[in-house]
Amino acid sequence: MARKPPRDAGDNAATIAHPEERRDASRRARVEVSFDDQTTLGALFGEFDANLVQIENRLGVYIAARGDTVSIEGTEDDVARARDVLIKLHEKLLTGEDIDAGAIDALITMADEPLLDGIVTGKAKGPPIMIRTRKKTITPRSNTQADYMRQLNSRDIIFALGPAGTGKTYLAVAQAISQLITGSVQRLILSRPAVEAGEKLGFLPGDMKDKVDPYLRPLYDALYDCMPPEQVDRRIASGEIEIAPIAFMRGRTLADAFVILDEAQNTTREQMKMFLTRFGQNSRMVICGDPRQVDIPGGDRMSGLADAVQRVEGLEGIGVTRFTAADVVRHPIVGRIVEAYEGPAEGRGHAD
Protein backbone atom coordinates (compact mmCIF):
# COMPACT_ATOMS: atom_id res chain seq x y z
CA MET A 1 0.00 0.00 0.00
CA ALA A 2 1.47 3.35 -1.01
CA ARG A 3 2.17 5.92 1.67
CA LYS A 4 0.72 9.41 1.51
CA PRO A 5 3.18 11.94 0.05
CA PRO A 6 5.27 13.81 2.65
CA ARG A 7 3.73 17.01 3.90
CA ASP A 8 5.79 20.22 3.70
CA ALA A 9 5.78 22.49 6.69
CA GLY A 10 4.97 25.36 4.33
CA ASP A 11 1.88 23.74 2.85
CA ASN A 12 -1.40 25.56 3.26
CA ALA A 13 -3.08 23.64 6.08
CA ALA A 14 -6.53 24.64 4.86
CA THR A 15 -6.06 22.57 1.71
CA ILE A 16 -5.46 19.34 3.61
CA ALA A 17 -7.29 19.80 6.89
CA HIS A 18 -10.53 18.09 7.84
CA PRO A 19 -13.53 20.48 7.91
CA GLU A 20 -13.61 20.27 11.72
CA GLU A 21 -9.96 21.30 11.80
CA ARG A 22 -10.60 24.28 9.51
CA ARG A 23 -13.24 25.54 11.95
CA ASP A 24 -10.82 25.26 14.86
CA ALA A 25 -7.22 25.23 13.66
CA SER A 26 -5.99 25.61 17.23
CA ARG A 27 -6.94 21.98 17.86
CA ARG A 28 -4.21 20.73 15.52
CA ALA A 29 -1.26 19.05 17.22
CA ARG A 30 2.01 17.34 16.44
CA VAL A 31 3.84 14.90 18.70
CA GLU A 32 6.91 12.69 18.43
CA VAL A 33 7.26 9.21 19.88
CA SER A 34 10.63 7.46 20.22
CA PHE A 35 11.11 3.71 20.63
CA ASP A 36 14.20 2.42 22.46
CA ASP A 37 14.09 -1.14 21.09
CA GLN A 38 14.77 -0.72 17.38
CA THR A 39 14.64 -4.47 16.69
CA THR A 40 10.85 -4.31 16.80
CA LEU A 41 10.41 -1.32 14.50
CA GLY A 42 10.08 -3.37 11.32
CA ALA A 43 7.19 -5.33 12.80
CA LEU A 44 5.72 -2.18 14.37
CA PHE A 45 5.65 -0.21 11.13
CA GLY A 46 4.74 -3.18 8.92
CA GLU A 47 5.86 -4.01 5.41
CA PHE A 48 6.02 -0.80 3.39
CA ASP A 49 4.73 0.97 6.54
CA ALA A 50 1.36 -0.78 6.13
CA ASN A 51 0.60 -0.58 9.86
CA LEU A 52 1.22 3.16 9.92
CA VAL A 53 -0.98 3.62 6.87
CA GLN A 54 -3.76 1.67 8.56
CA ILE A 55 -3.59 3.96 11.60
CA GLU A 56 -3.45 7.05 9.36
CA ASN A 57 -6.52 6.01 7.40
CA ARG A 58 -8.58 5.09 10.46
CA LEU A 59 -7.74 8.11 12.61
CA GLY A 60 -7.21 10.78 9.96
CA VAL A 61 -3.65 11.65 11.05
CA TYR A 62 -0.35 11.90 9.20
CA ILE A 63 2.52 9.72 10.47
CA ALA A 64 6.17 10.10 9.44
CA ALA A 65 8.82 7.61 10.59
CA ARG A 66 12.49 8.60 10.74
CA GLY A 67 14.80 6.12 12.41
CA ASP A 68 13.44 5.23 15.83
CA THR A 69 11.21 8.32 16.01
CA VAL A 70 7.66 8.67 14.74
CA SER A 71 5.97 12.05 14.33
CA ILE A 72 2.18 12.24 14.31
CA GLU A 73 0.18 15.22 13.07
CA GLY A 74 -3.56 15.89 13.20
CA THR A 75 -6.21 17.03 15.64
CA GLU A 76 -5.35 16.78 19.34
CA ASP A 77 -7.71 13.88 20.01
CA ASP A 78 -6.69 11.88 16.95
CA VAL A 79 -2.98 12.42 17.58
CA ALA A 80 -3.40 11.23 21.17
CA ARG A 81 -5.23 8.10 20.01
CA ALA A 82 -2.66 7.33 17.32
CA ARG A 83 0.18 7.75 19.85
CA ASP A 84 -1.53 5.41 22.32
CA VAL A 85 -2.16 2.79 19.63
CA LEU A 86 1.50 2.83 18.54
CA ILE A 87 2.74 2.59 22.14
CA LYS A 88 0.40 -0.31 22.89
CA LEU A 89 1.43 -2.13 19.70
CA HIS A 90 5.08 -1.70 20.64
CA GLU A 91 4.39 -3.11 24.11
CA LYS A 92 2.73 -6.15 22.54
CA LEU A 93 5.79 -6.76 20.35
CA LEU A 94 8.13 -6.46 23.35
CA THR A 95 6.16 -9.19 25.17
CA GLY A 96 6.41 -11.49 22.15
CA GLU A 97 2.86 -11.05 20.87
CA ASP A 98 2.24 -10.99 17.14
CA ILE A 99 0.34 -8.07 15.66
CA ASP A 100 -1.73 -8.09 12.53
CA ALA A 101 -4.34 -5.90 10.86
CA GLY A 102 -7.02 -7.28 13.19
CA ALA A 103 -5.04 -6.45 16.34
CA ILE A 104 -4.33 -2.95 15.06
CA ASP A 105 -7.96 -2.39 14.14
CA ALA A 106 -9.05 -3.60 17.59
CA LEU A 107 -6.70 -1.20 19.38
CA ILE A 108 -7.88 1.69 17.20
CA THR A 109 -11.49 0.84 18.02
CA MET A 110 -10.68 0.67 21.72
CA ALA A 111 -8.89 4.01 21.52
CA ASP A 112 -12.14 5.50 20.17
CA GLU A 113 -14.09 4.26 23.20
CA PRO A 114 -13.64 6.54 26.26
CA LEU A 115 -14.27 3.68 28.71
CA LEU A 116 -11.18 1.93 27.39
CA ASP A 117 -8.80 4.90 27.34
CA GLY A 118 -7.12 3.60 30.50
CA ILE A 119 -6.55 0.18 28.97
CA VAL A 120 -5.02 1.62 25.79
CA THR A 121 -2.75 4.07 27.58
CA GLY A 122 -1.82 1.70 30.37
CA LYS A 123 -3.24 4.05 33.03
CA ALA A 124 -6.18 1.89 34.06
CA LYS A 125 -6.64 1.40 37.79
CA GLY A 126 -6.28 -2.16 38.99
CA PRO A 127 -4.83 -5.14 37.13
CA PRO A 128 -5.04 -5.27 33.32
CA ILE A 129 -7.90 -7.19 31.76
CA MET A 130 -6.52 -10.40 30.31
CA ILE A 131 -6.86 -14.18 30.24
CA ARG A 132 -3.71 -16.32 30.35
CA THR A 133 -3.75 -19.83 28.90
CA ARG A 134 -1.01 -22.34 28.06
CA LYS A 135 -0.64 -21.01 24.51
CA LYS A 136 -1.45 -17.30 24.67
CA THR A 137 -2.49 -14.25 26.64
CA ILE A 138 -5.84 -12.86 25.52
CA THR A 139 -6.78 -9.19 25.89
CA PRO A 140 -10.11 -7.53 25.01
CA ARG A 141 -10.66 -6.23 21.50
CA SER A 142 -13.73 -4.11 22.26
CA ASN A 143 -15.40 -2.36 25.17
CA THR A 144 -18.05 -5.08 25.32
CA GLN A 145 -15.39 -7.81 25.41
CA ALA A 146 -13.73 -6.01 28.33
CA ASP A 147 -17.01 -5.95 30.26
CA TYR A 148 -17.59 -9.61 29.40
CA MET A 149 -14.12 -10.62 30.60
CA ARG A 150 -14.74 -8.81 33.90
CA GLN A 151 -17.97 -10.74 34.34
CA LEU A 152 -16.26 -14.03 33.50
CA ASN A 153 -13.93 -13.35 36.40
CA SER A 154 -16.56 -12.31 38.92
CA ARG A 155 -20.12 -13.57 38.25
CA ASP A 156 -21.48 -17.05 38.95
CA ILE A 157 -23.69 -17.28 35.85
CA ILE A 158 -23.08 -15.19 32.73
CA PHE A 159 -25.27 -14.89 29.66
CA ALA A 160 -23.44 -13.79 26.49
CA LEU A 161 -25.81 -12.72 23.71
CA GLY A 162 -24.95 -11.59 20.20
CA PRO A 163 -23.90 -12.48 16.65
CA ALA A 164 -21.19 -14.83 15.48
CA GLY A 165 -17.59 -13.68 15.61
CA THR A 166 -17.82 -11.58 18.77
CA GLY A 167 -15.76 -13.96 20.93
CA LYS A 168 -18.59 -15.12 23.21
CA THR A 169 -17.66 -18.81 23.30
CA TYR A 170 -13.94 -18.37 22.67
CA LEU A 171 -13.41 -16.06 25.65
CA ALA A 172 -15.52 -18.33 27.87
CA VAL A 173 -13.41 -21.37 26.89
CA ALA A 174 -10.20 -19.39 27.46
CA GLN A 175 -11.36 -18.31 30.94
CA ALA A 176 -12.39 -21.89 31.73
CA ILE A 177 -8.98 -23.25 30.71
CA SER A 178 -7.24 -20.55 32.74
CA GLN A 179 -9.21 -21.55 35.86
CA LEU A 180 -8.65 -25.25 35.19
CA ILE A 181 -4.90 -24.70 34.92
CA THR A 182 -4.73 -22.70 38.16
CA GLY A 183 -6.89 -25.21 40.02
CA SER A 184 -9.79 -22.82 40.66
CA VAL A 185 -12.09 -25.50 39.23
CA GLN A 186 -11.58 -29.24 38.86
CA ARG A 187 -13.52 -29.82 35.64
CA LEU A 188 -14.42 -28.08 32.41
CA ILE A 189 -17.78 -29.07 30.94
CA LEU A 190 -18.73 -27.88 27.45
CA SER A 191 -22.18 -28.47 26.05
CA ARG A 192 -24.35 -27.64 23.05
CA PRO A 193 -27.83 -28.66 21.95
CA ALA A 194 -27.48 -31.19 19.12
CA VAL A 195 -29.94 -29.49 16.80
CA GLU A 196 -30.12 -30.80 13.25
CA ALA A 197 -29.77 -28.45 10.30
CA GLY A 198 -31.34 -30.50 7.54
CA GLU A 199 -29.68 -33.78 8.56
CA LYS A 200 -30.85 -36.13 11.31
CA LEU A 201 -28.43 -37.47 13.92
CA GLY A 202 -29.62 -41.02 13.26
CA PHE A 203 -28.46 -40.85 9.67
CA LEU A 204 -24.87 -40.05 10.62
CA PRO A 205 -22.42 -42.99 10.81
CA GLY A 206 -20.75 -44.26 14.00
CA ASP A 207 -21.59 -44.46 17.69
CA MET A 208 -23.13 -41.68 19.76
CA LYS A 209 -19.82 -39.81 20.12
CA ASP A 210 -19.34 -39.86 16.35
CA LYS A 211 -22.89 -38.59 15.87
CA VAL A 212 -22.64 -35.61 18.24
CA ASP A 213 -19.01 -34.56 17.64
CA PRO A 214 -19.82 -32.54 14.47
CA TYR A 215 -22.15 -30.36 16.53
CA LEU A 216 -19.47 -29.83 19.17
CA ARG A 217 -16.56 -29.15 16.81
CA PRO A 218 -16.43 -25.36 17.51
CA LEU A 219 -15.81 -26.14 21.17
CA TYR A 220 -12.92 -28.47 20.28
CA ASP A 221 -11.46 -25.74 18.04
CA ALA A 222 -11.47 -23.22 20.90
CA LEU A 223 -9.84 -25.74 23.25
CA TYR A 224 -7.03 -26.56 20.83
CA ASP A 225 -6.39 -22.85 20.25
CA CYS A 226 -5.85 -22.21 23.97
CA MET A 227 -4.08 -25.40 25.06
CA PRO A 228 -1.61 -27.81 23.39
CA PRO A 229 -3.53 -30.63 21.64
CA GLU A 230 -1.85 -33.39 23.64
CA GLN A 231 -2.96 -31.75 26.91
CA VAL A 232 -6.52 -31.33 25.62
CA ASP A 233 -6.68 -34.99 24.61
CA ARG A 234 -5.18 -36.14 27.93
CA ARG A 235 -7.63 -34.08 29.98
CA ILE A 236 -10.57 -35.29 27.90
CA ALA A 237 -9.45 -38.88 28.45
CA SER A 238 -9.15 -38.31 32.22
CA GLY A 239 -12.56 -36.62 32.44
CA GLU A 240 -11.19 -33.20 33.44
CA ILE A 241 -12.65 -31.85 30.20
CA GLU A 242 -16.05 -33.14 29.16
CA ILE A 243 -17.81 -32.25 25.91
CA ALA A 244 -21.38 -33.46 25.59
CA PRO A 245 -24.86 -32.55 24.29
CA ILE A 246 -27.13 -30.79 26.74
CA ALA A 247 -29.30 -33.92 27.06
CA PHE A 248 -26.41 -35.56 28.94
CA MET A 249 -26.64 -32.93 31.71
CA ARG A 250 -29.99 -34.16 33.09
CA GLY A 251 -29.92 -35.47 36.66
CA ARG A 252 -26.42 -34.16 37.44
CA THR A 253 -25.09 -31.60 39.91
CA LEU A 254 -22.10 -29.80 38.41
CA ALA A 255 -19.87 -28.86 41.36
CA ASP A 256 -16.26 -27.55 41.18
CA ALA A 257 -16.75 -27.03 37.46
CA PHE A 258 -16.65 -24.36 34.80
CA VAL A 259 -19.67 -25.10 32.61
CA ILE A 260 -20.28 -23.57 29.17
CA LEU A 261 -23.44 -23.92 27.11
CA ASP A 262 -22.97 -22.84 23.49
CA GLU A 263 -25.71 -22.17 20.90
CA ALA A 264 -28.10 -21.73 23.81
CA GLN A 265 -30.75 -20.13 21.58
CA ASN A 266 -31.49 -23.67 20.36
CA THR A 267 -32.50 -24.96 23.78
CA THR A 268 -36.13 -25.25 24.76
CA ARG A 269 -37.40 -23.55 27.91
CA GLU A 270 -37.44 -26.92 29.69
CA GLN A 271 -33.84 -27.67 28.66
CA MET A 272 -32.65 -24.25 29.82
CA LYS A 273 -34.34 -24.62 33.21
CA MET A 274 -32.82 -28.09 33.57
CA PHE A 275 -29.35 -26.77 32.66
CA LEU A 276 -29.41 -23.77 34.99
CA THR A 277 -30.52 -25.89 37.93
CA ARG A 278 -27.45 -28.15 37.51
CA PHE A 279 -25.38 -25.38 39.12
CA GLY A 280 -23.29 -26.63 42.05
CA GLN A 281 -20.85 -25.39 44.69
CA ASN A 282 -17.70 -23.59 43.48
CA SER A 283 -18.94 -23.55 39.89
CA ARG A 284 -19.34 -21.01 37.13
CA MET A 285 -21.73 -21.17 34.17
CA VAL A 286 -21.57 -19.31 30.88
CA ILE A 287 -24.50 -19.46 28.47
CA CYS A 288 -23.68 -18.25 24.95
CA GLY A 289 -26.09 -17.73 22.09
CA ASP A 290 -27.50 -15.52 19.36
CA PRO A 291 -31.23 -14.92 19.93
CA ARG A 292 -31.57 -14.05 16.22
CA GLN A 293 -30.42 -17.50 15.04
CA VAL A 294 -32.99 -19.90 16.50
CA ASP A 295 -33.15 -23.24 14.64
CA ILE A 296 -35.54 -25.24 16.80
CA PRO A 297 -39.17 -25.87 15.78
CA GLY A 298 -41.37 -23.00 16.85
CA GLY A 299 -38.63 -20.42 16.44
CA ASP A 300 -38.09 -17.53 18.86
CA ARG A 301 -41.17 -18.19 20.98
CA MET A 302 -39.86 -21.67 21.92
CA SER A 303 -36.26 -20.65 22.65
CA GLY A 304 -35.14 -21.05 26.23
CA LEU A 305 -32.41 -18.41 25.98
CA ALA A 306 -34.50 -15.25 25.70
CA ASP A 307 -36.96 -16.66 28.23
CA ALA A 308 -34.20 -17.33 30.77
CA VAL A 309 -32.62 -13.89 30.38
CA GLN A 310 -36.00 -12.25 30.89
CA ARG A 311 -36.55 -14.24 34.07
CA VAL A 312 -33.14 -14.03 35.77
CA GLU A 313 -31.48 -10.82 34.57
CA GLY A 314 -30.81 -8.62 37.56
CA LEU A 315 -30.58 -11.44 40.09
CA GLU A 316 -27.53 -11.39 42.35
CA GLY A 317 -24.59 -13.30 40.87
CA ILE A 318 -25.95 -13.25 37.32
CA GLY A 319 -24.46 -11.12 34.54
CA VAL A 320 -25.63 -10.43 31.00
CA THR A 321 -23.42 -9.15 28.18
CA ARG A 322 -24.95 -8.11 24.86
CA PHE A 323 -22.67 -8.00 21.81
CA THR A 324 -23.46 -6.29 18.49
CA ALA A 325 -21.95 -6.30 15.00
CA ALA A 326 -19.54 -3.59 16.21
CA ASP A 327 -17.91 -6.22 18.46
CA VAL A 328 -17.19 -8.76 15.68
CA VAL A 329 -13.48 -9.62 15.87
CA ARG A 330 -13.21 -11.94 12.90
CA HIS A 331 -12.39 -10.61 9.44
CA PRO A 332 -13.98 -7.12 9.07
CA ILE A 333 -16.24 -8.45 6.32
CA VAL A 334 -18.01 -10.62 8.94
CA GLY A 335 -19.12 -7.49 10.76
CA ARG A 336 -20.37 -5.98 7.52
CA ILE A 337 -22.30 -9.16 6.73
CA VAL A 338 -23.93 -9.14 10.18
CA GLU A 339 -24.93 -5.50 9.67
CA ALA A 340 -26.32 -6.32 6.21
CA TYR A 341 -28.64 -8.90 7.77
CA GLU A 342 -29.44 -7.21 11.08
CA GLY A 343 -28.86 -3.47 10.51
CA PRO A 344 -26.24 -1.15 12.07
CA ALA A 345 -25.32 -1.97 15.66
CA GLU A 346 -26.36 1.41 16.98
CA GLY A 347 -29.87 0.94 15.69
CA ARG A 348 -30.51 -2.40 17.35
CA GLY A 349 -30.10 -1.40 20.98
CA HIS A 350 -30.64 -4.19 23.48
CA ALA A 351 -33.41 -6.01 21.73
CA ASP A 352 -31.63 -9.36 22.03
Side-chain angles (χ1 to χ4, degrees):
M1 184 181 296
R3 291 296 311 278
K4 298 176 183 177
R7 182 179 303 161
D8 251 348
D11 285 349
N12 183 352
T15 64
I16 58 174
H18 188 277
E20 288 291 333
E21 299 169 27
R22 288 197 290 268
R23 282 196 290 269
D24 187 4
S26 65
R27 293 188 63 240
R28 289 193 61 78
R30 183 177 182 275
V31 300
E32 290 189 350
V33 184
S34 296
F35 299 96
D36 294 334
D37 190 334
Q38 298 187 28
T39 62
T40 62
L41 295 185
L44 178 64
F45 298 162
E47 188 175 8
F48 302 114
D49 290 347
N51 297 344
L52 301 183
V53 171
Q54 183 178 352
I55 297 171
E56 284 183 328
N57 292 340
R58 278 290 306 274
L59 294 178
V61 296
Y62 176 75
I63 302 175
R66 296 178 179 86
D68 62 353
T69 301
V70 173
S71 64
I72 310 169
E73 182 180 347
T75 66
E76 291 178 357
D77 290 345
D78 292 336
V79 165
R81 291 188 177 104
R83 177 200 59 205
D84 289 344
V85 169
L86 281 170
I87 291 173
K88 188 63 177 180
L89 288 172
H90 189 243
E91 290 173 354
K92 285 179 175 291
L93 289 169
L94 290 177
T95 59
E97 293 186 51
D98 294 327
I99 62 173
D100 55 18
I104 295 169
D105 197 62
L107 281 176
I108 293 171
T109 300
M110 291 167 66
D112 284 335
E113 299 182 20
L115 291 177
L116 284 182
D117 278 351
I119 296 173
V120 176
T121 60
K123 298 175 183 176
K125 296 180 180 179
I129 302 171
M130 63 178 61
I131 299 173
R132 296 185 184 276
T133 69
R134 288 284 191 227
K135 294 180 69 174
K136 59 178 63 177
T137 297
I138 300 165
T139 54
R141 289 194 167 193
S142 74
N143 185 33
T144 311
Q145 278 199 356
D147 290 339
Y148 181 46
M149 290 169 70
R150 290 189 187 97
Q151 291 195 10
L152 288 173
N153 197 43
S154 61
R155 300 296 180 93
D156 295 323
I157 298 177
I158 304 100
F159 288 85
L161 315 177
T166 51
K168 304 184 300 295
T169 304
Y170 184 86
L171 291 175
V173 171
Q175 178 70 16
I177 288 176
S178 177
Q179 291 197 211
L180 185 65
I181 292 171
T182 59
S184 299
V185 296
Q186 302 302 312
R187 293 181 296 164
L188 168 53
I189 300 173
L190 308 172
S191 184
R192 291 182 90 183
V195 174
E196 301 90 347
E199 185 175 24
K200 299 297 183 183
L201 280 172
F203 294 155
L204 295 174
D207 58 18
M208 179 55 71
K209 182 179 185 302
D210 294 327
K211 291 177 187 292
V212 300
D213 270 2
Y215 297 93
L216 305 173
R217 179 49 52 186
L219 298 175
Y220 284 101
D221 292 342
L223 283 172
Y224 289 130
D225 199 47
C226 295
M227 182 181 285
E230 63 276 7
Q231 292 192 26
V232 174
D233 296 340
R234 177 172 55 81
R235 291 175 185 265
I236 290 176
S238 69
E240 287 180 84
I241 298 177
E242 179 182 349
I243 306 176
I246 190 172
F248 287 25
M249 300 296 109
R250 189 174 298 279
R252 304 175 61 183
T253 299
L254 306 176
D256 295 307
F258 197 113
V259 190
I260 300 172
L261 176 61
D262 194 25
E263 297 293 330
Q265 75 276 4
N266 289 326
T267 60
T268 64
R269 295 180 181 184
E270 292 75 16
Q271 285 177 322
M272 181 61 74
K273 178 183 177 183
M274 177 273 293
F275 183 80
L276 291 174
T277 54
R278 300 308 92 196
F279 191 85
Q281 293 292 329
N282 191 39
S283 289
R284 182 158 295 159
M285 276 188 174
V286 184
I287 297 96
C288 306
D290 182 357
R292 297 173 181 266
Q293 299 292 328
V294 179
D295 299 317
I296 59 176
D300 296 357
R301 63 185 179 85
M302 298 302 295
S303 174
L305 178 59
D307 177 69
V309 172
Q310 184 178 2
R311 292 174 183 272
V312 305
E313 185 172 9
L315 297 182
E316 184 178 354
I318 293 178
V320 179
T321 299
R322 291 177 171 89
F323 293 89
T324 69
D327 301 301
V328 171
V329 294
R330 293 180 185 169
H331 192 285
I333 198 171
V334 176
R336 294 194 287 271
I337 290 171
V338 171
E339 288 194 356
Y341 275 90
E342 301 182 2
E346 60 270 21
R348 295 200 302 274
H350 285 174
D352 290 346

